[in-house]
């Protein structure tokens, strides 16, 4: 899944693949479902808010903005939006 979240404290957004990297040179950040952020957002629907914590840091509140399947079409769009080496 490709997930877009908004960090409530800053308003910044981040788009990433939730799952495993498929092949070398993926153009988006990948978070495992076992990572703190992955565990927090797995199964969330757009508009839902989730708390996640990294060891030794305060919990952060995020809002899920968008969730779409990860597939060939998504990878092509991601490459156009995020050229290699840039985000």
């Amino acid at each position: 899944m490709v997930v877009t979240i908004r960090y409530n404290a800053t308003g910044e957004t981040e788009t990433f693949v939730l799952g495993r990297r498929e092949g070398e040179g993926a153009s988006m950040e990948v978070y495992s479902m076992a990572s703190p952020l992955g565990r927090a957002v797995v199964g969330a629907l757009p508009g839902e808010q989730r708390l996640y914590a990294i060891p030794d840091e305060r919990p952060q509140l995020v809002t899920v903005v968008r969730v779409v399947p990860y597939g060939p079409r998504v990878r092509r769009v991601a490459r156009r939006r995020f050229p290699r080496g840039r985000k």
Side-chain angles (χ1 to χ4, degrees):
M1 299 302 287
V2 177
V3 181
T4 301
I5 60 168
R6 181 178 53 251
Y7 293 93
N8 290 30
T10 64
E12 292 181 33
T13 60
E14 180 179 8
T15 299
F16 56 89
V17 175
L18 181 60
R20 291 181 295 189
R21 184 179 307 272
E22 291 185 24
E24 293 298 315
S27 58
M28 282 191 277
E29 188 70 42
V30 177
Y31 288 99
S32 161
M33 286 191 244
S35 70
L37 182 56
R39 285 193 312 264
V41 301
V42 70
L45 299 173
E48 291 185 349
Q49 295 184 332
R50 300 289 176 99
L51 266 178
Y52 83 99
I54 298 172
D56 300 326
E57 290 190 20
R58 295 176 61 175
Q60 293 191 46
L61 184 64
V62 296
T63 300
V64 176
V65 176
R66 187 172 185 213
V67 179
V68 295
Y70 182 71
R73 182 180 177 284
V74 173
R75 282 181 283 203
R76 281 195 302 272
V77 170
R79 278 193 207 114
R80 277 187 269 142
R81 289 188 59 208
F82 303 106
R84 190 173 221 175
R86 292 181 44 184
K87 286 190 176 181

PDB file of all heavy atoms in Angstrom, residues 48-75:
ATOM      1  N   GLU A  48      -8.495   8.977   9.486  1.00  0.00           N
ATOM      2  CA  GLU A  48      -8.247   8.435  10.824  1.00  0.00           C
ATOM      3  C   GLU A  48      -6.925   8.972  11.374  1.00  0.00           C
ATOM      4  O   GLU A  48      -5.964   9.165  10.631  1.00  0.00           O
ATOM      5  CB  GLU A  48      -8.209   6.910  10.814  1.00  0.00           C
ATOM      6  CG  GLU A  48      -9.549   6.288  10.549  1.00  0.00           C
ATOM      7  CD  GLU A  48      -9.534   4.775  10.656  1.00  0.00           C
ATOM      8  OE1 GLU A  48      -8.452   4.160  10.740  1.00  0.00           O
ATOM      9  OE2 GLU A  48     -10.629   4.212  10.635  1.00  0.00           O
ATOM     10  N   GLN A  49      -6.909   9.196  12.675  1.00  0.00           N
ATOM     11  CA  GLN A  49      -5.698   9.650  13.352  1.00  0.00           C
ATOM     12  C   GLN A  49      -5.125   8.498  14.152  1.00  0.00           C
ATOM     13  O   GLN A  49      -5.860   7.718  14.745  1.00  0.00           O
ATOM     14  CB  GLN A  49      -5.994  10.825  14.264  1.00  0.00           C
ATOM     15  CG  GLN A  49      -6.433  12.055  13.510  1.00  0.00           C
ATOM     16  CD  GLN A  49      -6.640  13.239  14.426  1.00  0.00           C
ATOM     17  OE1 GLN A  49      -6.952  13.093  15.598  1.00  0.00           O
ATOM     18  NE2 GLN A  49      -6.456  14.425  13.881  1.00  0.00           N
ATOM     19  N   ARG A  50      -3.802   8.424  14.166  1.00  0.00           N
ATOM     20  CA  ARG A  50      -3.102   7.358  14.896  1.00  0.00           C
ATOM     21  C   ARG A  50      -1.912   7.947  15.637  1.00  0.00           C
ATOM     22  O   ARG A  50      -1.268   8.886  15.169  1.00  0.00           O
ATOM     23  CB  ARG A  50      -2.597   6.275  13.937  1.00  0.00           C
ATOM     24  CG  ARG A  50      -3.691   5.589  13.121  1.00  0.00           C
ATOM     25  CD  ARG A  50      -4.545   4.698  14.015  1.00  0.00           C
ATOM     26  NE  ARG A  50      -5.653   4.091  13.310  1.00  0.00           N
ATOM     27  CZ  ARG A  50      -5.652   2.855  12.835  1.00  0.00           C
ATOM     28  NH1 ARG A  50      -4.598   2.095  12.957  1.00  0.00           N
ATOM     29  NH2 ARG A  50      -6.725   2.380  12.232  1.00  0.00           N
ATOM     30  N   LEU A  51      -1.622   7.380  16.798  1.00  0.00           N
ATOM     31  CA  LEU A  51      -0.440   7.745  17.580  1.00  0.00           C
ATOM     32  C   LEU A  51       0.638   6.700  17.347  1.00  0.00           C
ATOM     33  O   LEU A  51       0.345   5.516  17.294  1.00  0.00           O
ATOM     34  CB  LEU A  51      -0.761   7.735  19.068  1.00  0.00           C
ATOM     35  CG  LEU A  51      -1.181   9.026  19.725  1.00  0.00           C
ATOM     36  CD1 LEU A  51      -1.498   8.773  21.193  1.00  0.00           C
ATOM     37  CD2 LEU A  51      -0.162  10.106  19.580  1.00  0.00           C
ATOM     38  N   TYR A  52       1.862   7.153  17.204  1.00  0.00           N
ATOM     39  CA  TYR A  52       2.966   6.200  17.154  1.00  0.00           C
ATOM     40  C   TYR A  52       4.134   6.789  17.922  1.00  0.00           C
ATOM     41  O   TYR A  52       4.266   7.997  18.063  1.00  0.00           O
ATOM     42  CB  TYR A  52       3.357   5.831  15.724  1.00  0.00           C
ATOM     43  CG  TYR A  52       4.284   6.787  15.036  1.00  0.00           C
ATOM     44  CD1 TYR A  52       5.645   6.529  14.975  1.00  0.00           C
ATOM     45  CD2 TYR A  52       3.808   7.953  14.453  1.00  0.00           C
ATOM     46  CE1 TYR A  52       6.503   7.405  14.337  1.00  0.00           C
ATOM     47  CE2 TYR A  52       4.652   8.827  13.815  1.00  0.00           C
ATOM     48  CZ  TYR A  52       5.995   8.552  13.763  1.00  0.00           C
ATOM     49  OH  TYR A  52       6.847   9.417  13.140  1.00  0.00           O
ATOM     50  N   ALA A  53       4.949   5.902  18.460  1.00  0.00           N
ATOM     51  CA  ALA A  53       6.092   6.347  19.267  1.00  0.00           C
ATOM     52  C   ALA A  53       7.347   5.621  18.830  1.00  0.00           C
ATOM     53  O   ALA A  53       7.332   4.437  18.542  1.00  0.00           O
ATOM     54  CB  ALA A  53       5.827   6.079  20.740  1.00  0.00           C
ATOM     55  N   ILE A  54       8.422   6.374  18.788  1.00  0.00           N
ATOM     56  CA  ILE A  54       9.757   5.845  18.545  1.00  0.00           C
ATOM     57  C   ILE A  54      10.437   5.815  19.903  1.00  0.00           C
ATOM     58  O   ILE A  54      10.271   6.754  20.692  1.00  0.00           O
ATOM     59  CB  ILE A  54      10.528   6.751  17.569  1.00  0.00           C
ATOM     60  CG1 ILE A  54       9.802   6.776  16.227  1.00  0.00           C
ATOM     61  CG2 ILE A  54      11.970   6.290  17.399  1.00  0.00           C
ATOM     62  CD1 ILE A  54      10.360   7.779  15.247  1.00  0.00           C
ATOM     63  N   PRO A  55      11.193   4.771  20.214  1.00  0.00           N
ATOM     64  CA  PRO A  55      11.854   4.726  21.526  1.00  0.00           C
ATOM     65  C   PRO A  55      12.604   6.028  21.835  1.00  0.00           C
ATOM     66  O   PRO A  55      13.239   6.619  20.965  1.00  0.00           O
ATOM     67  CB  PRO A  55      12.819   3.547  21.403  1.00  0.00           C
ATOM     68  CG  PRO A  55      12.175   2.667  20.372  1.00  0.00           C
ATOM     69  CD  PRO A  55      11.509   3.615  19.401  1.00  0.00           C
ATOM     70  N   ASP A  56      12.484   6.490  23.057  1.00  0.00           N
ATOM     71  CA  ASP A  56      13.149   7.691  23.568  1.00  0.00           C
ATOM     72  C   ASP A  56      12.598   8.987  22.979  1.00  0.00           C
ATOM     73  O   ASP A  56      13.230  10.029  23.084  1.00  0.00           O
ATOM     74  CB  ASP A  56      14.671   7.637  23.357  1.00  0.00           C
ATOM     75  CG  ASP A  56      15.298   6.453  24.068  1.00  0.00           C
ATOM     76  OD1 ASP A  56      14.804   6.092  25.157  1.00  0.00           O
ATOM     77  OD2 ASP A  56      16.268   5.907  23.546  1.00  0.00           O
ATOM     78  N   GLU A  57      11.450   8.945  22.327  1.00  0.00           N
ATOM     79  CA  GLU A  57      10.810  10.160  21.807  1.00  0.00           C
ATOM     80  C   GLU A  57       9.357  10.175  22.242  1.00  0.00           C
ATOM     81  O   GLU A  57       8.778   9.149  22.556  1.00  0.00           O
ATOM     82  CB  GLU A  57      10.891  10.230  20.282  1.00  0.00           C
ATOM     83  CG  GLU A  57      12.288  10.473  19.770  1.00  0.00           C
ATOM     84  CD  GLU A  57      12.295  10.779  18.279  1.00  0.00           C
ATOM     85  OE1 GLU A  57      11.240  11.165  17.745  1.00  0.00           O
ATOM     86  OE2 GLU A  57      13.355  10.630  17.669  1.00  0.00           O
ATOM     87  N   ARG A  58       8.766  11.365  22.215  1.00  0.00           N
ATOM     88  CA  ARG A  58       7.355  11.498  22.561  1.00  0.00           C
ATOM     89  C   ARG A  58       6.494  10.922  21.440  1.00  0.00           C
ATOM     90  O   ARG A  58       6.863  11.012  20.268  1.00  0.00           O
ATOM     91  CB  ARG A  58       7.006  12.969  22.747  1.00  0.00           C
ATOM     92  CG  ARG A  58       7.730  13.591  23.929  1.00  0.00           C
ATOM     93  CD  ARG A  58       7.447  15.041  24.018  1.00  0.00           C
ATOM     94  NE  ARG A  58       6.011  15.251  24.217  1.00  0.00           N
ATOM     95  CZ  ARG A  58       5.464  16.415  24.425  1.00  0.00           C
ATOM     96  NH1 ARG A  58       6.202  17.495  24.445  1.00  0.00           N
ATOM     97  NH2 ARG A  58       4.170  16.529  24.613  1.00  0.00           N
ATOM     98  N   PRO A  59       5.323  10.371  21.791  1.00  0.00           N
ATOM     99  CA  PRO A  59       4.415   9.883  20.743  1.00  0.00           C
ATOM    100  C   PRO A  59       4.009  11.018  19.805  1.00  0.00           C
ATOM    101  O   PRO A  59       3.882  12.165  20.218  1.00  0.00           O
ATOM    102  CB  PRO A  59       3.204   9.378  21.523  1.00  0.00           C
ATOM    103  CG  PRO A  59       3.716   9.118  22.900  1.00  0.00           C
ATOM    104  CD  PRO A  59       4.810  10.129  23.126  1.00  0.00           C
ATOM    105  N   GLN A  60       3.824  10.681  18.540  1.00  0.00           N
ATOM    106  CA  GLN A  60       3.408  11.657  17.538  1.00  0.00           C
ATOM    107  C   GLN A  60       2.047  11.262  16.993  1.00  0.00           C
ATOM    108  O   GLN A  60       1.775  10.093  16.744  1.00  0.00           O
ATOM    109  CB  GLN A  60       4.409  11.700  16.382  1.00  0.00           C
ATOM    110  CG  GLN A  60       5.754  12.241  16.772  1.00  0.00           C
ATOM    111  CD  GLN A  60       6.589  12.504  15.544  1.00  0.00           C
ATOM    112  OE1 GLN A  60       6.117  13.081  14.571  1.00  0.00           O
ATOM    113  NE2 GLN A  60       7.836  12.073  15.584  1.00  0.00           N
ATOM    114  N   LEU A  61       1.206  12.261  16.774  1.00  0.00           N
ATOM    115  CA  LEU A  61      -0.105  12.047  16.198  1.00  0.00           C
ATOM    116  C   LEU A  61      -0.024  12.300  14.703  1.00  0.00           C
ATOM    117  O   LEU A  61       0.499  13.333  14.274  1.00  0.00           O
ATOM    118  CB  LEU A  61      -1.130  12.980  16.838  1.00  0.00           C
ATOM    119  CG  LEU A  61      -2.582  12.815  16.398  1.00  0.00           C
ATOM    120  CD1 LEU A  61      -3.113  11.435  16.801  1.00  0.00           C
ATOM    121  CD2 LEU A  61      -3.434  13.905  17.027  1.00  0.00           C
ATOM    122  N   VAL A  62      -0.512  11.349  13.915  1.00  0.00           N
ATOM    123  CA  VAL A  62      -0.548  11.497  12.462  1.00  0.00           C
ATOM    124  C   VAL A  62      -1.967  11.255  11.977  1.00  0.00           C
ATOM    125  O   VAL A  62      -2.734  10.520  12.596  1.00  0.00           O
ATOM    126  CB  VAL A  62       0.426  10.528  11.745  1.00  0.00           C
ATOM    127  CG1 VAL A  62       1.865  10.822  12.112  1.00  0.00           C
ATOM    128  CG2 VAL A  62       0.074   9.084  12.004  1.00  0.00           C
ATOM    129  N   THR A  63      -2.304  11.882  10.867  1.00  0.00           N
ATOM    130  CA  THR A  63      -3.594  11.662  10.214  1.00  0.00           C
ATOM    131  C   THR A  63      -3.330  10.995   8.878  1.00  0.00           C
ATOM    132  O   THR A  63      -2.479  11.452   8.107  1.00  0.00           O
ATOM    133  CB  THR A  63      -4.330  12.995   9.984  1.00  0.00           C
ATOM    134  OG1 THR A  63      -4.548  13.620  11.247  1.00  0.00           O
ATOM    135  CG2 THR A  63      -5.671  12.773   9.292  1.00  0.00           C
ATOM    136  N   VAL A  64      -4.046   9.921   8.606  1.00  0.00           N
ATOM    137  CA  VAL A  64      -3.922   9.238   7.320  1.00  0.00           C
ATOM    138  C   VAL A  64      -4.692  10.064   6.295  1.00  0.00           C
ATOM    139  O   VAL A  64      -5.880  10.340   6.460  1.00  0.00           O
ATOM    140  CB  VAL A  64      -4.455   7.798   7.403  1.00  0.00           C
ATOM    141  CG1 VAL A  64      -4.414   7.131   6.035  1.00  0.00           C
ATOM    142  CG2 VAL A  64      -3.646   6.994   8.406  1.00  0.00           C
ATOM    143  N   VAL A  65      -4.002  10.480   5.250  1.00  0.00           N
ATOM    144  CA  VAL A  65      -4.593  11.324   4.219  1.00  0.00           C
ATOM    145  C   VAL A  65      -5.090  10.478   3.052  1.00  0.00           C
ATOM    146  O   VAL A  65      -6.186  10.689   2.538  1.00  0.00           O
ATOM    147  CB  VAL A  65      -3.569  12.366   3.724  1.00  0.00           C
ATOM    148  CG1 VAL A  65      -4.125  13.190   2.573  1.00  0.00           C
ATOM    149  CG2 VAL A  65      -3.120  13.255   4.869  1.00  0.00           C
ATOM    150  N   ARG A  66      -4.273   9.502   2.624  1.00  0.00           N
ATOM    151  CA  ARG A  66      -4.608   8.709   1.446  1.00  0.00           C
ATOM    152  C   ARG A  66      -3.977   7.332   1.560  1.00  0.00           C
ATOM    153  O   ARG A  66      -2.854   7.200   2.045  1.00  0.00           O
ATOM    154  CB  ARG A  66      -4.095   9.417   0.199  1.00  0.00           C
ATOM    155  CG  ARG A  66      -4.513   8.793  -1.082  1.00  0.00           C
ATOM    156  CD  ARG A  66      -4.124   9.677  -2.248  1.00  0.00           C
ATOM    157  NE  ARG A  66      -4.666   9.088  -3.463  1.00  0.00           N
ATOM    158  CZ  ARG A  66      -4.083   9.159  -4.630  1.00  0.00           C
ATOM    159  NH1 ARG A  66      -2.945   9.800  -4.770  1.00  0.00           N
ATOM    160  NH2 ARG A  66      -4.625   8.612  -5.684  1.00  0.00           N
ATOM    161  N   VAL A  67      -4.688   6.315   1.062  1.00  0.00           N
ATOM    162  CA  VAL A  67      -4.176   4.952   1.015  1.00  0.00           C
ATOM    163  C   VAL A  67      -4.559   4.381  -0.345  1.00  0.00           C
ATOM    164  O   VAL A  67      -5.735   4.376  -0.707  1.00  0.00           O
ATOM    165  CB  VAL A  67      -4.792   4.080   2.131  1.00  0.00           C
ATOM    166  CG1 VAL A  67      -4.263   2.660   2.058  1.00  0.00           C
ATOM    167  CG2 VAL A  67      -4.539   4.678   3.507  1.00  0.00           C
ATOM    168  N   VAL A  68      -3.558   3.947  -1.116  1.00  0.00           N
ATOM    169  CA  VAL A  68      -3.826   3.349  -2.428  1.00  0.00           C
ATOM    170  C   VAL A  68      -2.992   2.079  -2.572  1.00  0.00           C
ATOM    171  O   VAL A  68      -1.924   1.961  -1.980  1.00  0.00           O
ATOM    172  CB  VAL A  68      -3.519   4.321  -3.596  1.00  0.00           C
ATOM    173  CG1 VAL A  68      -4.435   5.521  -3.569  1.00  0.00           C
ATOM    174  CG2 VAL A  68      -2.080   4.761  -3.580  1.00  0.00           C
ATOM    175  N   PRO A  69      -3.481   1.137  -3.380  1.00  0.00           N
ATOM    176  CA  PRO A  69      -2.697  -0.082  -3.606  1.00  0.00           C
ATOM    177  C   PRO A  69      -1.366   0.247  -4.268  1.00  0.00           C
ATOM    178  O   PRO A  69      -1.261   1.200  -5.044  1.00  0.00           O
ATOM    179  CB  PRO A  69      -3.576  -0.905  -4.554  1.00  0.00           C
ATOM    180  CG  PRO A  69      -4.938  -0.339  -4.412  1.00  0.00           C
ATOM    181  CD  PRO A  69      -4.758   1.110  -4.072  1.00  0.00           C
ATOM    182  N   TYR A  70      -0.372  -0.563  -3.971  1.00  0.00           N
ATOM    183  CA  TYR A  70       0.937  -0.415  -4.599  1.00  0.00           C
ATOM    184  C   TYR A  70       0.989  -1.376  -5.767  1.00  0.00           C
ATOM    185  O   TYR A  70       0.793  -2.570  -5.610  1.00  0.00           O
ATOM    186  CB  TYR A  70       2.047  -0.739  -3.598  1.00  0.00           C
ATOM    187  CG  TYR A  70       3.435  -0.571  -4.150  1.00  0.00           C
ATOM    188  CD1 TYR A  70       3.938   0.687  -4.402  1.00  0.00           C
ATOM    189  CD2 TYR A  70       4.239  -1.670  -4.410  1.00  0.00           C
ATOM    190  CE1 TYR A  70       5.214   0.856  -4.910  1.00  0.00           C
ATOM    191  CE2 TYR A  70       5.525  -1.508  -4.902  1.00  0.00           C
ATOM    192  CZ  TYR A  70       5.999  -0.244  -5.153  1.00  0.00           C
ATOM    193  OH  TYR A  70       7.265  -0.077  -5.646  1.00  0.00           O
ATOM    194  N   GLY A  71       1.230  -0.854  -6.955  1.00  0.00           N
ATOM    195  CA  GLY A  71       1.293  -1.697  -8.136  1.00  0.00           C
ATOM    196  C   GLY A  71       2.033  -0.991  -9.245  1.00  0.00           C
ATOM    197  O   GLY A  71       2.541   0.116  -9.058  1.00  0.00           O
ATOM    198  N   PRO A  72       2.080  -1.585 -10.418  1.00  0.00           N
ATOM    199  CA  PRO A  72       2.840  -0.999 -11.528  1.00  0.00           C
ATOM    200  C   PRO A  72       2.443   0.438 -11.845  1.00  0.00           C
ATOM    201  O   PRO A  72       3.285   1.278 -12.073  1.00  0.00           O
ATOM    202  CB  PRO A  72       2.523  -1.921 -12.705  1.00  0.00           C
ATOM    203  CG  PRO A  72       2.117  -3.211 -12.087  1.00  0.00           C
ATOM    204  CD  PRO A  72       1.460  -2.848 -10.784  1.00  0.00           C
ATOM    205  N   ARG A  73       1.159   0.758 -11.849  1.00  0.00           N
ATOM    206  CA  ARG A  73       0.730   2.118 -12.165  1.00  0.00           C
ATOM    207  C   ARG A  73       1.228   3.101 -11.111  1.00  0.00           C
ATOM    208  O   ARG A  73       1.734   4.163 -11.412  1.00  0.00           O
ATOM    209  CB  ARG A  73      -0.785   2.188 -12.266  1.00  0.00           C
ATOM    210  CG  ARG A  73      -1.265   3.569 -12.627  1.00  0.00           C
ATOM    211  CD  ARG A  73      -2.787   3.621 -12.722  1.00  0.00           C
ATOM    212  NE  ARG A  73      -3.236   4.950 -13.001  1.00  0.00           N
ATOM    213  CZ  ARG A  73      -3.290   5.931 -12.124  1.00  0.00           C
ATOM    214  NH1 ARG A  73      -2.898   5.730 -10.888  1.00  0.00           N
ATOM    215  NH2 ARG A  73      -3.725   7.130 -12.461  1.00  0.00           N
ATOM    216  N   VAL A  74       1.109   2.727  -9.852  1.00  0.00           N
ATOM    217  CA  VAL A  74       1.559   3.598  -8.763  1.00  0.00           C
ATOM    218  C   VAL A  74       3.053   3.825  -8.858  1.00  0.00           C
ATOM    219  O   VAL A  74       3.538   4.930  -8.689  1.00  0.00           O
ATOM    220  CB  VAL A  74       1.187   2.987  -7.388  1.00  0.00           C
ATOM    221  CG1 VAL A  74       1.801   3.797  -6.262  1.00  0.00           C
ATOM    222  CG2 VAL A  74      -0.325   2.910  -7.249  1.00  0.00           C
ATOM    223  N   ARG A  75       3.828   2.791  -9.169  1.00  0.00           N
ATOM    224  CA  ARG A  75       5.278   2.939  -9.274  1.00  0.00           C
ATOM    225  C   ARG A  75       5.649   3.901 -10.393  1.00  0.00           C
ATOM    226  O   ARG A  75       6.544   4.709 -10.250  1.00  0.00           O
ATOM    227  CB  ARG A  75       5.942   1.588  -9.495  1.00  0.00           C
ATOM    228  CG  ARG A  75       6.045   0.802  -8.201  1.00  0.00           C
ATOM    229  CD  ARG A  75       6.714  -0.489  -8.457  1.00  0.00           C
ATOM    230  NE  ARG A  75       5.710  -1.342  -9.079  1.00  0.00           N
ATOM    231  CZ  ARG A  75       5.743  -2.654  -9.064  1.00  0.00           C
ATOM    232  NH1 ARG A  75       6.727  -3.296  -8.507  1.00  0.00           N
ATOM    233  NH2 ARG A  75       4.792  -3.362  -9.617  1.00  0.00           N
TER     234      ARG A  75
END
